[in-house]
Amino acid sequence: MITQAPRGTYDLYGEQMTDWQRVESEIAGLMQAFHYSEIRTPVFEHTELFQRGVGDTTDIVQKEMYTFEDKGGRSITLKPEGTAGAARAYLEHKLYADPQPTKLYYVTPCFRYEKPQAGRNRQFTQFGVELYGASSPVADVEVISIGYELLRRLGINNVMLHINSLGCENCRARYNNELKAYFGERREQLCDTCRDRLERNPLRILDCKNPECREIVAGAPSILDALDDECRAHFEEVKRLLEALGIPYVVDPGIVRGLDYYTRTVFEFVCTEIGAQGTVCAGGRYDHLIEELGGDAVPAVGFGAGIERLLLAMKASGRPSAEPCALSLFVGHYGAAAEAEAAALTYRLRQENIPAECDLLGRSVKAQMKYANKKGARFTMILGDTELETGSAVLKNMENGDNTSVFFRDISDWKGLITG
Ligand code: ATP
Ligand code: MG
């Protein structure tokens, strides 16, 4: 018998599920306020989409994708992130023909073959936003403010916003040469992966987690010194606007992001209290992605936030777990005639969105009340022959023991008592 989920995956149920539902409903409310609309794209896509959209030299494409051949012989990949699918859908459905900019969000499972640890799973969930068609710094700051506001609404207060600019392709080319020269002189001290990165994409070295590489990286030239006038002005404006919105940040030239497609602004919200996997939300600008996927040049900015890590940060912030939905009334019964009446009353309460339960196991009244107690019912009522005859039953407040006699069929007379 198989009684274990695959490594790096988990089941959600019980209390944890309640916490998740709270985060998901905060996201839905937040996105209404920012006026972004939800997009759902398939869990799998053609592998080429991620090779192009995420980038051939990234860890994701090189090491982490769940790729397989389907029965038709096509190479298929489970989505490792949310942006590529959203960008593909934007092109496929010509969303650029709608009033611009296009503002989308998604909550989606993602799959990466990584070493599982705290805050790192093989199936995880990303909340992401995509803003297509706006190149101005005010768009970058709108997207960052979504992340900031989400953290605020979730009660996460142990997170700092780190920002950086990677410039445009000209700045990058210049900077790559500087990095090649710098790391080239220190080639022997780099890890094997970084030696390979030195040839393919030296910027990636800045992202290496290896302690020896990190030491060398600390002395590397800063991208911010390599920015041309336009990119520098864009970055300055991002900072000015963040200040105008009252969003605190630190400039961190070490932020390069794991994906190939970033240009200009990149940012991470980092939590120092949840261990090594502290980045709860990360994103930036990717002005060439849509072109890369075969569209016209459309500027874009967005982020992805791991919901698992948001929940860890909420715990670390001391935010208490969400209360599960309370059971307003348990309708008990004795005798066959009362069973149907109890079931019908329960159904009518449910039609009015009042959480109610009745007995489904043919238990004794005593056992029914024990169950109601365990489930935290706020009120109980027991229907039997007498109640059916008189139409009157006792509504018992389980918190203070108060009894109120009510005509149980006239729900509107007493529902205020149990919902208040
Ligand atoms: P990391 O630095 O942790 O490897 P990344 O740079 O690979 O993250 P992105 O591709 O930018 O991350 O994904 C955006 C967000 O998704 C991350 O900031 C994180 O919150 C979450 N995330 C990424 N990979 C995982 C994972 N394996 N398990 C859980 N959450 C993840
Ligand atoms: Mg990663």
Side-chain angles (χ1 to χ4, degrees), residues 13-24 311 321-325:
Y13 61 95
E15 267 173 41
Q16 275 182 323
M17 195 69 246
T18 313
D19 286 334
W20 271 76
Q21 286 170 337
R22 178 164 77 177
V23 172
E24 287 169 5
L311 283 155
S321 277
E323 292 289 329
C325 167

PDB file of all heavy atoms in Angstrom, residues 13-24 311 321-325:
ATOM      1  N   TYR A  13      -4.765  19.997   4.810  1.00  0.00           N
ATOM      2  CA  TYR A  13      -6.062  19.663   5.394  1.00  0.00           C
ATOM      3  C   TYR A  13      -6.128  20.297   6.772  1.00  0.00           C
ATOM      4  O   TYR A  13      -5.127  20.831   7.267  1.00  0.00           O
ATOM      5  CB  TYR A  13      -6.243  18.139   5.459  1.00  0.00           C
ATOM      6  CG  TYR A  13      -5.202  17.471   6.313  1.00  0.00           C
ATOM      7  CD1 TYR A  13      -5.447  17.192   7.648  1.00  0.00           C
ATOM      8  CD2 TYR A  13      -3.953  17.164   5.789  1.00  0.00           C
ATOM      9  CE1 TYR A  13      -4.485  16.616   8.444  1.00  0.00           C
ATOM     10  CE2 TYR A  13      -2.977  16.596   6.570  1.00  0.00           C
ATOM     11  CZ  TYR A  13      -3.236  16.317   7.897  1.00  0.00           C
ATOM     12  OH  TYR A  13      -2.273  15.770   8.683  1.00  0.00           O
ATOM     13  N   GLY A  14      -7.287  20.234   7.378  1.00  0.00           N
ATOM     14  CA  GLY A  14      -7.450  20.700   8.753  1.00  0.00           C
ATOM     15  C   GLY A  14      -7.074  22.166   8.929  1.00  0.00           C
ATOM     16  O   GLY A  14      -7.366  23.004   8.089  1.00  0.00           O
ATOM     17  N   GLU A  15      -6.389  22.460  10.048  1.00  0.00           N
ATOM     18  CA  GLU A  15      -6.052  23.839  10.404  1.00  0.00           C
ATOM     19  C   GLU A  15      -5.241  24.548   9.327  1.00  0.00           C
ATOM     20  O   GLU A  15      -5.467  25.716   9.032  1.00  0.00           O
ATOM     21  CB  GLU A  15      -5.218  23.848  11.690  1.00  0.00           C
ATOM     22  CG  GLU A  15      -6.026  24.015  12.948  1.00  0.00           C
ATOM     23  CD  GLU A  15      -5.140  23.835  14.164  1.00  0.00           C
ATOM     24  OE1 GLU A  15      -4.000  24.332  14.149  1.00  0.00           O
ATOM     25  OE2 GLU A  15      -5.597  23.175  15.111  1.00  0.00           O
ATOM     26  N   GLN A  16      -4.265  23.811   8.766  1.00  0.00           N
ATOM     27  CA  GLN A  16      -3.421  24.410   7.728  1.00  0.00           C
ATOM     28  C   GLN A  16      -4.251  24.900   6.559  1.00  0.00           C
ATOM     29  O   GLN A  16      -3.986  25.937   5.977  1.00  0.00           O
ATOM     30  CB  GLN A  16      -2.472  23.355   7.181  1.00  0.00           C
ATOM     31  CG  GLN A  16      -1.222  23.165   7.960  1.00  0.00           C
ATOM     32  CD  GLN A  16      -0.368  22.128   7.262  1.00  0.00           C
ATOM     33  OE1 GLN A  16      -0.884  21.157   6.713  1.00  0.00           O
ATOM     34  NE2 GLN A  16       0.918  22.336   7.260  1.00  0.00           N
ATOM     35  N   MET A  17      -5.262  24.106   6.230  1.00  0.00           N
ATOM     36  CA  MET A  17      -6.130  24.462   5.108  1.00  0.00           C
ATOM     37  C   MET A  17      -6.822  25.797   5.384  1.00  0.00           C
ATOM     38  O   MET A  17      -6.966  26.634   4.496  1.00  0.00           O
ATOM     39  CB  MET A  17      -7.163  23.336   4.925  1.00  0.00           C
ATOM     40  CG  MET A  17      -7.903  23.364   3.625  1.00  0.00           C
ATOM     41  SD  MET A  17      -6.859  22.969   2.218  1.00  0.00           S
ATOM     42  CE  MET A  17      -6.845  24.510   1.349  1.00  0.00           C
ATOM     43  N   THR A  18      -7.215  25.983   6.638  1.00  0.00           N
ATOM     44  CA  THR A  18      -7.876  27.241   7.002  1.00  0.00           C
ATOM     45  C   THR A  18      -6.926  28.423   6.795  1.00  0.00           C
ATOM     46  O   THR A  18      -7.318  29.476   6.296  1.00  0.00           O
ATOM     47  CB  THR A  18      -8.334  27.179   8.478  1.00  0.00           C
ATOM     48  OG1 THR A  18      -9.000  25.936   8.683  1.00  0.00           O
ATOM     49  CG2 THR A  18      -9.286  28.299   8.801  1.00  0.00           C
ATOM     50  N   ASP A  19      -5.662  28.239   7.189  1.00  0.00           N
ATOM     51  CA  ASP A  19      -4.677  29.310   6.975  1.00  0.00           C
ATOM     52  C   ASP A  19      -4.504  29.609   5.480  1.00  0.00           C
ATOM     53  O   ASP A  19      -4.406  30.758   5.065  1.00  0.00           O
ATOM     54  CB  ASP A  19      -3.325  28.915   7.581  1.00  0.00           C
ATOM     55  CG  ASP A  19      -3.349  28.990   9.100  1.00  0.00           C
ATOM     56  OD1 ASP A  19      -4.156  29.767   9.639  1.00  0.00           O
ATOM     57  OD2 ASP A  19      -2.568  28.274   9.751  1.00  0.00           O
ATOM     58  N   TRP A  20      -4.465  28.558   4.687  1.00  0.00           N
ATOM     59  CA  TRP A  20      -4.331  28.753   3.234  1.00  0.00           C
ATOM     60  C   TRP A  20      -5.512  29.517   2.667  1.00  0.00           C
ATOM     61  O   TRP A  20      -5.366  30.412   1.854  1.00  0.00           O
ATOM     62  CB  TRP A  20      -4.215  27.385   2.534  1.00  0.00           C
ATOM     63  CG  TRP A  20      -2.806  26.933   2.449  1.00  0.00           C
ATOM     64  CD1 TRP A  20      -2.067  26.424   3.462  1.00  0.00           C
ATOM     65  CD2 TRP A  20      -1.960  26.980   1.293  1.00  0.00           C
ATOM     66  NE1 TRP A  20      -0.811  26.144   3.012  1.00  0.00           N
ATOM     67  CE2 TRP A  20      -0.714  26.463   1.698  1.00  0.00           C
ATOM     68  CE3 TRP A  20      -2.134  27.392  -0.024  1.00  0.00           C
ATOM     69  CZ2 TRP A  20       0.354  26.357   0.813  1.00  0.00           C
ATOM     70  CZ3 TRP A  20      -1.067  27.279  -0.901  1.00  0.00           C
ATOM     71  CH2 TRP A  20       0.160  26.773  -0.486  1.00  0.00           C
ATOM     72  N   GLN A  21      -6.692  29.108   3.113  1.00  0.00           N
ATOM     73  CA  GLN A  21      -7.888  29.769   2.583  1.00  0.00           C
ATOM     74  C   GLN A  21      -7.883  31.248   2.943  1.00  0.00           C
ATOM     75  O   GLN A  21      -8.301  32.087   2.153  1.00  0.00           O
ATOM     76  CB  GLN A  21      -9.154  29.080   3.119  1.00  0.00           C
ATOM     77  CG  GLN A  21      -9.367  27.733   2.438  1.00  0.00           C
ATOM     78  CD  GLN A  21     -10.452  26.908   3.090  1.00  0.00           C
ATOM     79  OE1 GLN A  21     -10.768  27.096   4.266  1.00  0.00           O
ATOM     80  NE2 GLN A  21     -11.024  25.986   2.337  1.00  0.00           N
ATOM     81  N   ARG A  22      -7.346  31.552   4.140  1.00  0.00           N
ATOM     82  CA  ARG A  22      -7.289  32.960   4.522  1.00  0.00           C
ATOM     83  C   ARG A  22      -6.356  33.729   3.578  1.00  0.00           C
ATOM     84  O   ARG A  22      -6.699  34.808   3.106  1.00  0.00           O
ATOM     85  CB  ARG A  22      -6.808  33.117   5.964  1.00  0.00           C
ATOM     86  CG  ARG A  22      -6.693  34.586   6.336  1.00  0.00           C
ATOM     87  CD  ARG A  22      -6.597  34.807   7.811  1.00  0.00           C
ATOM     88  NE  ARG A  22      -5.261  34.490   8.280  1.00  0.00           N
ATOM     89  CZ  ARG A  22      -4.870  34.654   9.549  1.00  0.00           C
ATOM     90  NH1 ARG A  22      -5.708  35.091  10.442  1.00  0.00           N
ATOM     91  NH2 ARG A  22      -3.649  34.356   9.906  1.00  0.00           N
ATOM     92  N   VAL A  23      -5.186  33.139   3.284  1.00  0.00           N
ATOM     93  CA  VAL A  23      -4.243  33.818   2.389  1.00  0.00           C
ATOM     94  C   VAL A  23      -4.878  33.983   1.005  1.00  0.00           C
ATOM     95  O   VAL A  23      -4.810  35.054   0.395  1.00  0.00           O
ATOM     96  CB  VAL A  23      -2.918  33.033   2.288  1.00  0.00           C
ATOM     97  CG1 VAL A  23      -2.019  33.623   1.216  1.00  0.00           C
ATOM     98  CG2 VAL A  23      -2.211  33.037   3.639  1.00  0.00           C
ATOM     99  N   GLU A  24      -5.516  32.931   0.519  1.00  0.00           N
ATOM    100  CA  GLU A  24      -6.114  33.013  -0.813  1.00  0.00           C
ATOM    101  C   GLU A  24      -7.227  34.059  -0.857  1.00  0.00           C
ATOM    102  O   GLU A  24      -7.372  34.771  -1.859  1.00  0.00           O
ATOM    103  CB  GLU A  24      -6.639  31.638  -1.241  1.00  0.00           C
ATOM    104  CG  GLU A  24      -5.492  30.707  -1.602  1.00  0.00           C
ATOM    105  CD  GLU A  24      -5.912  29.256  -1.790  1.00  0.00           C
ATOM    106  OE1 GLU A  24      -7.119  28.962  -1.733  1.00  0.00           O
ATOM    107  OE2 GLU A  24      -5.018  28.416  -1.987  1.00  0.00           O
ATOM    108  N   LEU A 311       3.298  31.796   4.429  1.00  0.00           N
ATOM    109  CA  LEU A 311       2.726  31.227   5.655  1.00  0.00           C
ATOM    110  C   LEU A 311       3.790  31.059   6.736  1.00  0.00           C
ATOM    111  O   LEU A 311       3.517  31.296   7.914  1.00  0.00           O
ATOM    112  CB  LEU A 311       2.036  29.896   5.338  1.00  0.00           C
ATOM    113  CG  LEU A 311       0.669  30.113   4.666  1.00  0.00           C
ATOM    114  CD1 LEU A 311       0.268  28.920   3.832  1.00  0.00           C
ATOM    115  CD2 LEU A 311      -0.405  30.415   5.705  1.00  0.00           C
ATOM    116  N   SER A 321      -2.983  31.406  14.030  1.00  0.00           N
ATOM    117  CA  SER A 321      -3.653  30.642  12.988  1.00  0.00           C
ATOM    118  C   SER A 321      -5.093  31.110  12.838  1.00  0.00           C
ATOM    119  O   SER A 321      -5.692  31.601  13.792  1.00  0.00           O
ATOM    120  CB  SER A 321      -3.654  29.162  13.343  1.00  0.00           C
ATOM    121  OG  SER A 321      -2.438  28.592  12.959  1.00  0.00           O
ATOM    122  N   ALA A 322      -5.616  30.935  11.642  1.00  0.00           N
ATOM    123  CA  ALA A 322      -7.000  31.342  11.388  1.00  0.00           C
ATOM    124  C   ALA A 322      -7.949  30.414  12.137  1.00  0.00           C
ATOM    125  O   ALA A 322      -7.662  29.235  12.316  1.00  0.00           O
ATOM    126  CB  ALA A 322      -7.278  31.291   9.893  1.00  0.00           C
ATOM    127  N   GLU A 323      -9.062  30.964  12.602  1.00  0.00           N
ATOM    128  CA  GLU A 323     -10.100  30.150  13.236  1.00  0.00           C
ATOM    129  C   GLU A 323     -10.886  29.436  12.140  1.00  0.00           C
ATOM    130  O   GLU A 323     -11.305  30.071  11.175  1.00  0.00           O
ATOM    131  CB  GLU A 323     -11.072  31.055  14.001  1.00  0.00           C
ATOM    132  CG  GLU A 323     -10.484  31.739  15.214  1.00  0.00           C
ATOM    133  CD  GLU A 323     -10.228  30.750  16.350  1.00  0.00           C
ATOM    134  OE1 GLU A 323     -10.985  29.761  16.455  1.00  0.00           O
ATOM    135  OE2 GLU A 323      -9.257  30.969  17.102  1.00  0.00           O
ATOM    136  N   PRO A 324     -11.108  28.129  12.294  1.00  0.00           N
ATOM    137  CA  PRO A 324     -11.967  27.478  11.304  1.00  0.00           C
ATOM    138  C   PRO A 324     -13.395  28.025  11.439  1.00  0.00           C
ATOM    139  O   PRO A 324     -13.748  28.549  12.490  1.00  0.00           O
ATOM    140  CB  PRO A 324     -11.904  26.002  11.677  1.00  0.00           C
ATOM    141  CG  PRO A 324     -11.430  25.974  13.087  1.00  0.00           C
ATOM    142  CD  PRO A 324     -10.654  27.234  13.343  1.00  0.00           C
ATOM    143  N   CYS A 325     -14.168  27.885  10.377  1.00  0.00           N
ATOM    144  CA  CYS A 325     -15.545  28.363  10.390  1.00  0.00           C
ATOM    145  C   CYS A 325     -16.316  27.668  11.507  1.00  0.00           C
ATOM    146  O   CYS A 325     -16.306  26.449  11.614  1.00  0.00           O
ATOM    147  CB  CYS A 325     -16.166  28.047   9.028  1.00  0.00           C
ATOM    148  SG  CYS A 325     -17.939  28.226   9.009  1.00  0.00           S
TER     149      CYS A 325
END
